[in-house]
Amino acid sequence: MKIVVLVKHVPDSASARGFNPDYTSDRVSVDSVLSELDEYAVEQALQIAEKHDGVEIMYLTIGPESAADALRKALSMGGDAAVHVCDDAIKGSDAFATSALLAAALRKLEWDLIVTGMASTDGWLGIVPTMVAEHLGIPSATLADNLSIDGNTVTIRRDSDDDSRTLQTTMPCLVSVTDKTGEARYPSFKGIMAAKKKTVDRWSLADLGLEPAAVGLAAHRAAATQTTVRPPRAAGVKVVDDGNGANELAEFLTARKFI
């Protein structure tokens, strides 16, 4: 079985993120990491490899030079090799162009199963996995809280506050997993050292047979025209209890119709 895991290098959610003059995300002045939600996809692929013989895991990402760090992080957790699609023309690509890029890269690879996170932590759209599957003409089973493989059958379970739903499909297919699938493992020192020796191929748009006009800001279906910095949080109201604190608190909550 051959598995391709889609991963993304994103700005650290703990950093103060901003935008470039062209309204693309500033990925230079902030620390970036492997998207936390993609770590769950990596973990699920590794668990499948531990349960089944002969599983090969490949990681695929799109992004600038620094995006290779996300691949090395994934490879340090486990897996065999990676592909980095890197081209200056890709900068600013929207979900439509991104899904087309990923699909073009996947057509050059051999795979039975594609595993993704449920969304990227910098965009939170959650639509790219399904769009990739549509480009490839394969079934997609999204938002899996549990994933299992039996022969050629893929089974996922979705849990909600009201019920649990089980879906089945057959490979080749795409599955996106949620953060409920289980904590991702930490890379070991041995894994980190081994990752440095694993193959990371680099592909350009020309390698994918795509024209620069089909991606990037020029191909955007929507465009940002203005950004506004979030205002600093105002200081809250402090109630000093000098014997009348309960009344003041009740008046504060009543005035705002909380009670």
Side-chain angles (χ1 to χ4, degrees):
M1 183 193 311
K2 295 185 177 181
I3 302 175
V4 175
V5 184
L6 308 185
V7 298
K8 189 176 183 182
H9 200 227
V10 300
D12 190 339
S13 58
S15 62
R17 291 173 286 180
F19 295 92
N20 296 313
D22 60 3
Y23 301 110
T24 57
S25 296
D26 179 4
R27 300 179 183 274
V28 176
S29 61
V30 297
D31 294 330
S32 293
V33 297
L34 169 63
S35 177
E36 181 182 355
L37 293 175
D38 290 343
E39 291 188 15
Y40 296 100
V42 174
E43 177 63 28
Q44 289 306 300
L46 294 175
Q47 288 191 23
I48 292 171
E50 291 169 351
K51 296 174 182 176
H52 302 271
D53 295 331
V55 176
E56 298 179 20
I57 299 175
M58 170 80 71
Y59 300 109
L60 170 62
T61 196
I62 295 173
E65 299 280 353
S66 58
D69 293 342
L71 294 175
R72 291 298 178 189
K73 170 67 182 294
L75 287 168
S76 69
M77 296 167 68
D80 303 291
V83 171
H84 181 189
V85 179
C86 183
D87 196 300
D88 290 341
I90 293 173
K91 179 183 177 183
S93 293
D94 62 7
F96 294 96
T98 298
S99 62
L101 282 162
L102 289 169
L106 286 162
R107 291 189 186 100
K108 291 172 62 68
L109 297 170
E110 294 182 10
W111 44 267
D112 302 291
L113 176 65
I114 304 167
V115 185
T116 79
M118 65 180 188
S120 63
T121 54
D122 61 339
W124 287 105
L125 293 177
I127 60 174
V128 169
T130 302
M131 296 172 76
V132 169
E134 181 68 16
H135 276 292
L136 297 172
I138 60 173
S140 62
T142 57
L143 303 177
D145 295 321
N146 180 273
L147 167 63
S148 61
I149 307 290
D150 183 8
N152 198 45
T153 301
V154 178
T155 303
I156 74 163
R157 190 188 72 239
R158 293 179 185 157
D159 297 326
S160 70
D161 294 337
D162 301 319
D163 59 19
S164 291
R165 299 184 181 185
T166 299
L167 291 80
Q168 285 189 334
T169 187
T170 55
M171 293 186 279
C173 65
L174 179 148
V175 175
S176 72
V177 301
T178 74
D179 54 355
K180 296 179 182 179
T181 50
E183 289 298 319
R185 67 194 65 189
Y186 287 101
S188 64
F189 178 75
K190 181 180 179 180
I192 293 172
M193 297 306 294
K196 296 180 180 180
K197 300 179 181 179
K198 294 178 181 178
T199 301
V200 177
D201 291 328
R202 178 166 164 166
W203 294 346
S204 66
L205 283 180
D207 294 321
L208 301 182
L210 295 176
E211 295 295 329
V215 299
L217 287 174
H220 247 248
R221 307 280 181 105
T225 58
Q226 182 179 0
T227 61
T228 303
V229 177
R230 179 187 298 172
R233 295 180 63 179
V237 177
K238 182 183 292 185
V239 176
V240 179
D241 189 4
D242 55 2
N244 196 40
N247 291 335
E248 291 187 41
L249 180 59
E251 291 174 359
F252 175 84
L253 295 174
T254 300
R256 288 159 179 77
K257 297 182 179 180
F258 291 133
I259 59 174

